[in-house]
Amino acid sequence: MLKLPSSSMSLSSSSSTSSCNAALIRKQCRSFGASSDSSSRLKVSIRRRNEAVSCEAADSSASSSAPLVAETKEKDAGGRVGKSAADRLRQGSLTEDGLSYKEKFIVRCYEVGVNKTATVETIANLLQEVACNHVQSLGFSTDGFGTTTTMRKLHLIWATARMHIEIYKYPAWSDVVEVETWYESEGPIWTRRDWILKDHATREVIGRATRLAFPEEKNGSLKKIAKLEDAAQYSRQGLVPRRADLDMNQHVNNVAYIGWFLESMPQEIIDNHELETITLDYRRECQQHDVVDSHTSPEPVEDTKVSELNESNGTAAAAAEGKEDYCQFLHLLRLSGDGLEINRGRTEWRKKPTRHANHSV
């Protein structure tokens, strides 16, 4: 499971023999996002602005020092630090206020499915990429985990606790998607990261995601996921991680769990519906030689919308009157041998729209 650098993420030890000072961890979490010697504390509040979501900072001190320089920056002949080759090619940067990060991506042919639209795994990978690039642009570790100096000394990394993705419209092959991300503290050793996805051409909001919970009182990211018991209606057993599924910490990348959920989905749902929301609760890490069972069962659809959002942020789950075109499922991933729970989740599906192919080779 890839340890992303923030949001609905908690600190976990990367070494079974390491110990840490709790007060020092809390101090490190509070300073995440600001320079190491700065007395300012970043407080981020979510606001709707210009048909999107933006951030606002309140600095508790009169001055703050500049962020650390990322380790991948190049130096010119005079010793001055400049942009790396990756930075020059990457279509992303911090926003003007410095509180969020935006990046643009072209949907490649190998990132789409049979409908010529991006898969949910593609969307999840884009979120992952933007999060890592964000912390790198702030000058934190370039090891892929977004760790600070103190975290590395204590052998600590960020561990994903929950992921919630809402997709209102899937981008098609060759579409350009703009992804914006930001984060804020959610407690002593927790941070939360949010994303918003837009169609770059139309500026339409096509999705959003969070690694803890959206701020609205009624939304799908807050819904508790019940544990699916043994009598699952659909099952796929004996799933084995591929080498390509492993992350830099030798654990299964969190995106792989999404694919495993879908492996036990009934084919008629896959053929006639598209995934609208997915929520994952991460319970246990999975390693290369583990064997996994995927279980799925239908869940009754509630009579209310999952979320009430204004038009600037898109819409959430389908309305109750469209029940015949809308369905949801509970999921459970567990180890085949001892039955230990790896992940539990919920997916919500809407009827597939009629699409007309407009690309050719």
Side-chain angles (χ1 to χ4, degrees):
M1 177 171 64
L2 181 61
K3 306 302 180 295
L4 289 182
S6 54
S7 300
S8 178
M9 315 201 61
S10 62
L11 288 174
S12 68
S13 173
S14 60
S15 171
S16 59
T17 60
S18 64
S19 60
C20 57
N21 184 300
L24 186 58
I25 295 174
R26 288 193 292 270
K27 179 180 179 182
Q28 196 65 34
C29 289
R30 286 195 296 269
S31 66
F32 191 79
S35 57
S36 58
D37 59 348
S38 172
S39 61
S40 65
R41 180 177 179 181
L42 190 63
K43 297 180 180 179
V44 183
S45 61
I46 298 178
R47 295 176 179 270
R48 291 184 173 87
R49 184 182 66 189
N50 298 329
E51 300 182 351
V53 178
S54 60
C55 303
E56 181 175 286
D59 196 341
S60 59
S61 64
S63 63
S64 62
S65 59
L68 299 174
V69 177
E71 298 169 8
T72 55
K73 303 299 183 183
E74 298 175 343
K75 292 183 179 181
D76 60 19
R80 294 182 294 272
V81 176
K83 285 187 175 183
S84 68
D87 288 335
R88 290 194 295 268
L89 293 172
R90 187 177 290 129
Q91 295 295 307
S93 63
L94 290 170
T95 55
E96 290 184 3
D97 56 16
L99 298 177
S100 64
Y101 176 90
K102 290 183 180 180
E103 188 165 351
K104 295 188 288 290
F105 301 91
I106 300 174
V107 178
R108 312 291 184 177
C109 65
Y110 53 82
E111 296 174 323
V112 303
V114 294
N115 293 329
K116 295 188 176 67
T117 57
T119 64
V120 63
E121 291 96 331
T122 294
I123 299 297
N125 277 319
L126 293 182
L127 303 179
Q128 190 166 264
E129 175 71 7
V130 171
C132 289
N133 291 342
H134 182 201
V135 293
Q136 219 172 277
S137 69
L138 292 172
F140 286 94
S141 169
T142 59
D143 61 3
F145 302 121
T147 55
T148 61
T149 302
T150 302
M151 289 174 64
R152 293 193 292 278
K153 288 180 180 179
L154 297 173
H155 303 287
L156 295 172
I157 54 177
W158 295 101
T160 303
R162 169 172 273 223
M163 183 69 179
H164 177 86
I165 304 173
E166 299 179 357
I167 306 173
Y168 314 134
K169 179 182 177 182
Y170 282 86
W173 174 27
S174 79
D175 283 352
V176 178
V177 179
E178 180 183 271
V179 185
E180 182 175 4
T181 187
W182 61 95
Y183 63 86
E184 61 179 311
S185 173
E186 286 287 341
I189 59 172
W190 295 81
T191 61
R192 159 186 160 181
R193 179 174 290 280
D194 290 341
W195 295 262
I196 192 165
L197 298 89
K198 289 184 177 181
D199 183 306
H200 180 64
T202 65
R203 310 307 301 161
E204 175 187 6
V205 175
I206 60 174
R208 65 174 185 167
T210 183
R211 285 193 175 274
L212 191 56
F214 288 133
E216 304 94 52
E217 292 184 3
K218 296 180 180 180
N219 70 85
S221 66
L222 290 170
K223 292 173 63 178
K224 182 179 179 180
I225 302 176
K227 183 178 180 180
L228 189 60
E229 300 301 335
D230 291 336
Q233 190 166 342
Y234 307 98
S235 296
R236 178 70 182 273
Q237 299 181 348
L239 298 170
V240 179
R242 303 172 304 159
R243 290 172 180 159
D245 293 328
L246 301 182
D247 64 17
M248 291 176 278
N249 199 40
Q250 299 297 309
H251 294 124
V252 172
N253 188 295
N254 67 81
V255 178
Y257 298 124
I258 296 176
W260 286 345
F261 276 1
L262 302 183
E263 283 296 312
S264 58
M265 282 294 298
Q267 189 60 44
E268 60 268 23
I269 298 297
I270 298 294
D271 292 340
N272 299 303
H273 293 72
E274 65 181 10
L275 184 64
E276 185 172 74
T277 69
I278 182 169
T279 309
L280 304 94
D281 278 346
Y282 296 91
R283 303 304 178 97
R284 180 174 283 100
E285 292 177 333
C286 184
Q287 300 181 354
Q288 181 178 2
H289 300 294
D290 289 332
V291 181
V292 178
D293 295 337
S294 175
H295 301 280
T296 294
S297 283
E299 183 182 32
V301 178
E302 296 181 357
D303 290 335
T304 59
K305 292 184 180 180
V306 172
S307 177
E308 296 291 343
L309 303 173
N310 66 29
E311 60 183 5
S312 68
N313 264 334
T315 58
E321 59 266 20
K323 284 184 179 180
E324 68 279 2
D325 294 333
Y326 179 78
C327 52
Q328 61 190 45
F329 294 84
L330 290 176
H331 302 269
L332 174 66
L333 296 178
R334 64 185 183 187
L335 295 176
S336 293
D338 50 24
L340 291 175
E341 184 179 12
I342 300 172
N343 203 312
R344 66 176 67 175
R346 172 183 289 111
T347 57
E348 303 171 6
W349 303 73
R350 58 177 175 251
K351 197 74 172 179
K352 277 185 179 179
T354 302
R355 300 186 188 273
H356 302 283
N358 56 2
H359 298 284
S360 60
V361 177

